[in-house]
Each structure stands twice: as C-alpha cells, then as structure tokens.
Amino acid sequence: MTGEFHPPARILMGPGPSNVDPRVLLAMAKPMVGHLDPEFIRIMNNLQDLLRQVFGTKNPLTLPISGTGSAGMEAAFVNVVEPGDRVLVCIKGVFGERMADVAERCGAHLRTISAPWGEVFDLEAIQKELRGFQPKVLAIVHAETSTGVLQPLEELPAILKNNPDTLLLVDTVTSLGGHPVKVDEWGIDICYSGTQKCLSSPPGLAPITFSPKAADKIKKRSQKVQSFYFDMNILGKYWGSERTYHHTAPISMNYALLEALRIIGEEGLAPRHERHRRNHLALVQGIEAMGLSMLVPEPYRLWSLNAVSIPQGIDDPKLRKKLLDEYNLEIGGGLGALKGKIWRVGLMGYSSSEANVLYFLTALEQALREQGFEVPRGAGAIAAKEFFSKGK
Ligand SMILES: *Cc1c(COP(=O)(O)O)cnc(C)c1O
C-alpha cells in the first residue's frame, strides 16, 4: 500500500459521473485557502453569478450545497416543507420515488401521482390534482435519469396560475448544462442539480436556487428546519452578505465547479445544448441502424441519457462487463422496473462527444456479435458518421 494511487482512466458513458475536463481536475490541485479568506469569498461570488446564468435566474439565494445531487434534493424539501404541509410529487421513475420518500421524511401530507416509466406526465392530470389537493409544493423531475425521459416544463406556469401559493420544485440533476433550464421563465421556485452529470465536475456539490417566494416561505417557517446542515436560514448567511461560519465549505470541490462553469461560459449555453442534442441524435441513428430501439418515444428523449432497449436473449451484465473490461467503457444498466430491460447511455457534458458516440457504437456492435446478435458490419458507426457529416 505504498506509491502513487492510479485509478483507471475510464470512458464514462453511464448515468453519471461523467468524464471531467482536465482543467477541472487541475483546479482541484490548486492551493488550499480558508473558507473565509477574501479570495475564497470572491470565488463564492463568481460561482453564484455563474450558477444563476446556467439556471436562468436572478434569484439571490443561489448556491452550491455541499453534497451530491441527493443532498440538493434533501435541501430543497427540508427547507420548504413543514410537517403537515400538503406536497404533491409526480413519479415517473426512481428519482420521483426518491422525492416522495424525502418529502415523507419531512412529515409532509404527501400525495403522489404516477406516469408509466418511460413516459411523460400529461399536464392535465397534474392540473386536476392541483385543483383538488391544493398543495403547498408541487415536485417533479425534469430529466428522469432512470428512464431517459425529459418532462416538458414550459406549460407549468400556465397550469399553476390558479395556485398562487403552490411552490414548484424541480429536479434538474441530469438536465442542467445539457438541456435548456429556465428557472425564472418556467416559474420554478426551487431548483437543484448535481455537479457530476452535464456540468462535468466531480460528484460532491449540488447547485440549488430558491425564488424570492420560496425564500420568504423559509424565513417565515413556524418551526426550525429539522436539518442543521441544510438550513437555508443559516447557510444563506454564509453565502449571503454576512459570511457567518456555518460549515467549512469543501474548498477544492468549489474550485472544480468554478472551473467547470467557466468552461461552460466559454462554450456558451446554447452551443453546449446543441452539442448534446446532435450527439444524442447521432447515437439514435446508430442504434436504429443496428436494429435496436430506444425506450422513449421521439419528442421526450433526453439528450444526456439515452435509454436503449436490450434485445431479447442478450446477457446484460455480461455485455456491460465486457465493455468495461475490454473497452474501458462504462454504461449503465436499468433500475427498478427497467432492470435488465434497458441500457442507460450517458452523453453528459465532457463525455458528450462525437468520438464517444462512434466508440460506443463500435464497441457495442462487437459485444452484441459475440453474443450471437447479428449486426450489419459497422452499421451503427456508419449511420452516426453520416449524421455528423451532414451538419458540417
Ligand atoms: C443522479 C440523480 C440524483 C441524485 O444525485 P446523487 O449525486 O447520486 O446523489 C437525483 N436526481 C436525478 C434526476 C439524478 O439523475
């Protein structure tokens, strides 16, 4: 147990973490400063400005929570839900289920509605529940990583018009940085994400933003937030003008996120989204040319997470092990009801590249052929290459 430690340099095309730009890894090697150092406070201000840009918001209360995406989820619920508050959670996959679990632990008066896994919510169904249940919080996942579904949110403000007291809480862990997310325009009150998916920073921080309406509700709570660590009434002061100590910020994680957000700023949000869209479309062309199919119907597919149906007779764990062992390539398997039924192929942030699309399709073809599934030679990569060459 001596000498330098060398983890393998994988190609990460699963449901996260995604690969990280070397610039971001190097940022973590920069000198430590104190969490109240004036230089770190400047870094915090820059981070908050850049997070507001990617979230599409002017919300003052915008910051990275110390913890992974699930910590963002906890922070969202524990702050705005008091025991007995009516909370409506929309479930169409694993992360909607997790939201309901978290809301229940907050003592919410919980109601859930469900859509089949692999499908989106019909907004009329949500509207009907809103009318009858009059929830304090409506919670929904934008990009459901367990199914590859993108839930359109543009229409939600219109649907919430008759519920002025309802806070809209949205999980954008797998969309932020890969798909457009417009917190202010879509009337989102609480929005959280994670660093290791389309933002392509290592796991460890959860960007979150609260609208003035949500911030007001937190300030006027009748009971203390049950979590000290996530209490925005205290944490907000460290990230606000008072800078009072709450917990020691994970300095290097914040360096990494700052560098990742600077890279996003250099690329531009719109070109970044377009890159994710194109690489996704090329992957779909390749998958279909190989005689495979996508789980999710056309307009609702995530660009960042591609759910590919596993053909009959294929040994899923064996195939994924082969990709990892022989191609150094990680993809994800299905979760819950979709276990053994789909592969989850991530094209997130730094991992969303033309080369990765071609490499995955080529490796998959070999792995399928070795299990006796016949694919026309090179079909997937050829179709994807044709797609790429068209747009140039
Ligand atoms: C990954 C993910 C989470 C949880 O994030 P962790 O970083 O694993 O804690 C929550 N919601 C969605 C939609 C996710 O994809």
Side-chain angles (χ1 to χ4, degrees):
M1 295 295 272
T2 56
E4 214 175 329
F5 166 60
H6 287 290
R10 302 282 196 213
I11 295 166
L12 297 175
M13 297 180 71
S18 56
N19 284 118
V20 174
D21 190 308
R23 269 176 66 180
V24 173
L25 293 175
L26 284 173
M28 297 184 74
K30 292 185 177 169
M32 199 52 50
V33 295
H35 66 281
L36 294 170
D37 188 304
E39 192 53 39
F40 191 68
I41 287 173
R42 274 198 17 210
I43 288 171
M44 291 164 73
N45 288 335
N46 288 340
L47 263 176
Q48 289 177 289
D49 281 343
L50 292 170
L51 283 178
R52 287 184 194 107
Q53 288 172 31
V54 292
F55 271 129
T57 185
K58 295 198 166 62
N59 292 339
L61 191 53
T62 302
L63 53 92
I65 295 283
S66 306
T68 65
S70 304
M73 190 186 288
E74 294 259 13
F77 281 95
V78 292
N79 277 282
V80 298
V81 177
E82 292 198 63
D85 279 353
R86 286 187 302 281
V87 175
L88 178 63
V89 178
C90 305
I91 301 178
K92 58 181 185 317
V94 166
F95 293 102
E97 283 178 348
R98 185 174 297 183
M99 276 180 154
D101 186 348
V102 171
E104 199 177 1
R105 288 163 194 259
C106 296
H109 173 185
L110 177 66
R111 182 173 295 185
T112 61
I113 50 173
S114 301
W117 289 35
E119 292 181 22
V120 292
F121 269 98
D122 167 14
L123 293 184
E124 266 171 32
I126 299 177
Q127 194 166 29
K128 210 174 121 228
E129 288 296 327
L130 281 174
R131 236 180 269 134
F133 188 52
Q134 295 289 325
K136 291 258 173 74
V137 176
L138 166 66
I140 192 161
V141 176
H142 186 214
E144 183 46 82
T145 322
S146 60
T147 63
V149 163
L150 181 79
Q151 174 69 47
L153 298 177
E154 293 82 348
E155 310 288 322
L156 276 179
I159 279 168
L160 279 160
K161 247 218 285 303
N162 297 323
N163 294 68
D165 296 329
T166 302
L167 295 171
L168 175 58
L169 189 163
V170 178
D171 177 319
T172 61
V173 175
T174 290
S175 49
L176 194 72
H179 280 265
V181 171
K182 299 177 177 172
V183 166
D184 289 356
E185 206 178 304
W186 298 344
I188 301 173
D189 293 295
I190 306 105
C191 189
Y192 62 87
S193 189
T195 42
Q196 79 273 26
K197 304 207 181 171
C198 298
L199 299 175
S200 276
S201 194
L205 293 175
I208 195 166
T209 185
F210 294 87
S211 71
K213 190 168 117 191
D216 192 53
K217 159 124 186 160
I218 299 169
K219 214 174 279 159
K220 293 186 177 144
R221 286 176 63 105
S222 56
Q223 301 183 20
K224 269 189 184 179
V225 174
Q226 63 267 40
S227 161
F228 168 79
Y229 201 65
F230 296 136
D231 185 347
M232 284 300 146
N233 284 323
I234 329 174
L235 186 53
K237 288 186 179 144
Y238 173 54
W239 284 89
S241 50
E242 296 173 42
R243 304 296 173 182
T244 36
Y245 166 71
H246 173 254
H247 69 269
T248 308
I251 304 291
S252 310
M253 296 313 305
N254 281 284
Y255 289 171
L257 179 59
L258 179 67
E259 192 68 356
L261 292 171
R262 286 160 66 109
I263 290 170
I264 292 175
E266 287 164 23
E267 181 175 16
L269 270 180
R272 186 178 180 89
H273 298 152
E274 177 59 14
R275 169 165 63 86
H276 281 79
R277 191 182 72 91
R278 272 177 60 76
N279 290 333
H280 154 75
L281 290 176
L283 187 111
V284 173
Q285 293 282 317
I287 286 296
E288 290 177 349
M290 289 166 75
L292 306 178
S293 61
M294 304 293 290
L295 173 77
V296 179
E298 175 91 80
Y300 305 117
R301 287 176 191 155
L302 277 174
W303 305 335
S304 45
L305 196 284
N306 298 272
V308 177
S309 300
I310 302 178
Q312 284 282 321
I314 294 296
D315 183 335
D316 165 37
K318 189 170 151 197
L319 184 137
R320 280 187 289 124
K321 183 174 185 309
K322 184 173 188 70
L323 292 183
L324 193 67
D325 290 347
E326 292 179 19
Y327 296 85
N328 203 30
L329 173 62
E330 177 180 284
I331 65 166
L335 291 179
L338 291 171
K339 189 163 191 270
K341 299 217 166 80
I342 57 166
W343 291 308
R344 295 184 301 147
V345 185
L347 286 170
M348 301 179 181
Y350 193 70
S351 291
S352 175
S353 68
E354 293 190 8
N356 276 358
V357 169
L358 299 176
Y359 185 69
F360 163 71
L361 291 168
T362 306
L364 181 65
E365 177 186 322
Q366 292 302 328
L368 283 170
R369 183 169 292 124
E370 283 171 38
Q371 289 198 23
F373 184 89
E374 276 312 314
V375 182
R377 210 160 273 281
I382 290 169
K385 262 194 96 100
E386 252 167 35
F387 176 87
F388 285 135
S389 63
K390 266 189 297 188
K392 290 224 168 110

